[in-house]
Amino acid sequence: MNEHATISKAFRAAFPVTLPILAGFMFLGIAYGVFMNVSGFGAGWTFLMSLLIFAGSMEFVAVGLLLGAFNPLGALLLTLMVNARHLFYGISMLEKYKGTGWKKPYLIFGMCDESFSINYSAKIPEGVDRGWFMFFVTLLNHAYWVAGATVGGVLGSFVNFDLKGLEFVMTALFVVIFVEQWMKQKIHDSAVIGIAISVLGLILFGPDRFIIPSMIAILAMLTLTRKALERKTAEAEEGGPA
């Protein structure tokens, strides 16, 4: 099979499995683009941020960082904490990304929650190149997000009604992701850990300072309990004791 046929076959296999992501990313992307416009950023900035950052929830957070006081260290720490889960994603994908050649840097850059979920669990059809399949899953999801955000950025210029409070879309995004993950998982230990530590952090540090220490504590706790949580999840999936 020549290279063109290999690439074409991989694209045809990857595209259908990304269609559910297309619907979600277009909706959230448009909301993000409108939010950017309302916050004072033009469609060009929306396009560049969605293209170069590609970290959904962090892109919403970045709007506040750009509009707030200059604090690069705080921005760095907040970014690391918000996207700390990608540390575990990366470890999980070490074997799968082996042998992907020049595609590997882009696969690492574009590994969002949805792309990780598909590439980690997908049953790649026989005869389809694994590297190209994962590349197109990542590329298509990236393209969906950029397209949605850019459309929202353009449409935001024509919205003539009061959009005060649209920033709540970020909160809604986190709630939707949390509920979706809660419903998918049989074991909720990690979610309970996150909630408990966040509430404790809120009590100890107050609403303006609790996010970073809470995220550090959550990351540390999940790291310490990772093997136990993985074992418990595996037992639940196999129908064994929870």
Side-chain angles (χ1 to χ4, degrees):
M1 185 182 296
N2 60 44
E3 185 71 3
H4 177 75
T6 299
I7 294 172
S8 177
K9 190 172 184 179
F11 178 85
R12 293 196 303 271
F15 178 65
V17 300
T18 66
L19 287 177
I21 312 302
L22 168 61
F25 271 18
M26 286 299 291
F27 177 78
L28 286 174
I30 289 173
Y32 168 67
V34 174
F35 177 47
M36 280 283 287
N37 187 277
V38 171
S39 301
F41 297 94
W45 283 108
T46 304
F47 170 77
L48 288 174
M49 287 182 65
S50 60
L51 177 68
L52 300 176
I53 299 177
F54 191 43
S57 55
M58 191 59 220
E59 289 182 48
F60 284 94
V61 175
V63 177
L65 294 175
L66 291 172
L67 294 175
F70 181 67
N71 184 6
L73 180 59
L76 172 63
L77 291 175
L78 182 59
T79 302
L80 288 173
M81 293 305 104
V82 171
N83 291 305
R85 64 192 184 281
H86 287 81
L87 294 171
F88 301 104
Y89 291 174
I91 293 171
S92 301
M93 297 301 289
L94 285 175
E95 290 297 323
K96 291 183 178 292
Y97 282 175
K98 277 186 177 179
T100 53
W102 61 267
K103 307 177 196 69
K104 189 173 183 178
Y106 179 71
L107 289 171
I108 294 171
F109 164 77
M111 188 170 57
C112 62
D113 296 345
E114 292 76 12
S115 296
F116 165 76
S117 179
I118 293 174
N119 286 332
Y120 183 79
S121 60
K123 294 182 179 179
I124 301 175
E126 187 176 350
V128 173
D129 183 85
R130 176 176 56 87
W132 278 111
F133 175 87
M134 293 190 297
F135 174 82
F136 281 122
V137 166
T138 305
L139 179 65
L140 286 166
N141 288 341
H142 191 183
Y144 300 153
W145 177 256
V146 174
T150 304
V151 168
V154 173
L155 291 178
S157 302
F158 301 98
V159 175
N160 56 10
F161 53 87
D162 185 13
L163 289 174
K164 184 178 180 180
L166 184 64
E167 60 272 14
F168 182 74
V169 71
M170 185 178 71
T171 303
L173 171 65
F174 284 117
V175 172
V176 169
I177 291 174
F178 175 81
V179 172
E180 181 183 14
Q181 292 301 314
W182 181 279
M183 294 176 67
K184 283 183 179 178
Q185 301 297 326
K186 295 181 179 179
I187 301 299
H188 305 301
D189 295 35
S190 57
V192 172
I193 289 172
I195 293 172
I197 292 178
S198 297
V199 171
L200 181 61
L202 181 62
I203 294 171
L204 293 176
F205 300 101
D208 296 326
R209 297 182 178 87
F210 84 101
I211 293 180
I212 292 180
S214 295
M215 290 297 295
I216 292 174
I218 291 170
L219 178 60
M221 182 61 71
L222 291 178
T223 300
L224 291 172
T225 60
R226 180 186 171 197
K227 289 185 178 180
L229 291 174
E230 288 180 343
R231 183 170 59 252
K232 195 172 182 180
T233 300
E235 289 175 351
E237 290 177 350
E238 292 172 2

